Amino acid sequence: MIVWLIAACEIGFWVLLALGLAVRYLLGWRRTSVVLLLCEPVLELVLFAATAVDLENGAEPGWEHGLAALYIGYTVAFGHYTIRWLDGHAAHRLGGAPPPPKPPRHGRARARHEARLWLRSVYGGAVALALLQLAVWYVGGSGDVSSLRAFQGVALRAVGIHGLIALSYTVWPRKAPADARAEGAVSRGEEEGVRR
């Protein structure tokens, strides 16, 4: 049941997001779109409540409960970021707004961008770890909590791997192509000439 609920929450997330953006940019109903987008966190609360009820009714803690905690952690950390990113693209394509800025591709700016994304992963991992620990304490000695402990390890490994990837952008920063560097040097020179 929990696995189906996770799938339903994921589908519901994208349906609410698509409806919210369509209502905002195609129909011009901004308040209605805000209400639809604010319904997104309700999905996670439903999943959390269903998981708690499932454990309360005596279900043996399994991988599906661990997956629910990871899903909730990911959605808490990246849900708003995803909505904002898609809203910028919808505003551009459907609302006539300028295109949203792209993330930096090179140098320290890219490393900072990747570090900010990693901090989101840390936040999501912390939420998942907390939910899993609450489930472990709730079940207590009355059940096998090894699957919940295993998913705590999965959360920590995911955060660690993402941290290594983010760190690689600092240790080995991508360099801008030669023509882009030349353009940047010319524009900086022009700016300095204007300041003088």
Side-chain angles (χ1 to χ4, degrees):
M1 174 188 118
I2 298 296
V3 175
W4 290 108
L5 193 54
I6 294 170
C9 285
E10 181 66 11
I11 292 168
F13 175 85
W14 291 106
V15 167
L16 281 173
L17 183 55
L19 282 174
L21 295 177
V23 164
R24 176 177 291 184
Y25 294 109
L26 297 178
L27 301 177
W29 299 348
R30 186 160 179 77
R31 286 185 185 166
T32 305
S33 74
V34 169
V35 170
L36 286 169
L37 293 175
L38 286 176
C39 288
E40 300 277 3
V42 174
L43 297 172
E44 282 68 51
L45 292 175
V46 167
L47 179 60
F48 175 74
T51 304
V53 166
D54 193 41
L55 289 172
E56 185 179 342
N57 289 338
E60 191 68 27
W63 64 270
E64 61 274 6
H65 299 102
L67 183 62
L70 291 181
Y71 176 80
I72 291 171
Y74 175 83
T75 307
V76 166
F78 285 94
H80 181 67
Y81 176 81
T82 304
I83 291 170
R84 213 177 29 183
W85 182 79
L86 285 172
D87 184 47
H89 284 280
H92 170 60
R93 299 219 182 247
L94 303 174
K102 292 183 178 180
R105 297 183 59 152
H106 310 289
R108 290 184 187 190
R110 178 60 185 236
R112 281 191 299 274
H113 173 74
E114 292 296 329
R116 283 191 296 270
L117 289 179
W118 177 69
L119 288 175
R120 286 185 180 278
S121 288
V122 170
Y123 178 44
V127 169
L129 286 170
L131 291 174
L132 288 164
Q133 189 59 46
L134 287 172
V136 166
W137 288 335
Y138 183 75
V139 172
S142 62
D144 180 20
V145 294
S146 59
S147 64
L148 299 175
R149 293 282 186 207
F151 268 90
Q152 285 181 319
V154 169
L156 288 172
R157 281 192 300 276
V159 169
I161 290 168
H162 192 184
L164 290 174
I165 292 169
L167 182 63
S168 73
Y169 284 93
T170 301
V171 176
W172 299 288
R174 289 184 175 174
K175 294 183 180 173
D179 56 346
R181 281 186 295 216
E183 283 179 23
V186 168
S187 64
R188 280 194 302 275
E190 289 173 356
E191 287 175 14
E192 288 174 8
V194 168
R195 283 190 215 132
R196 290 180 192 161

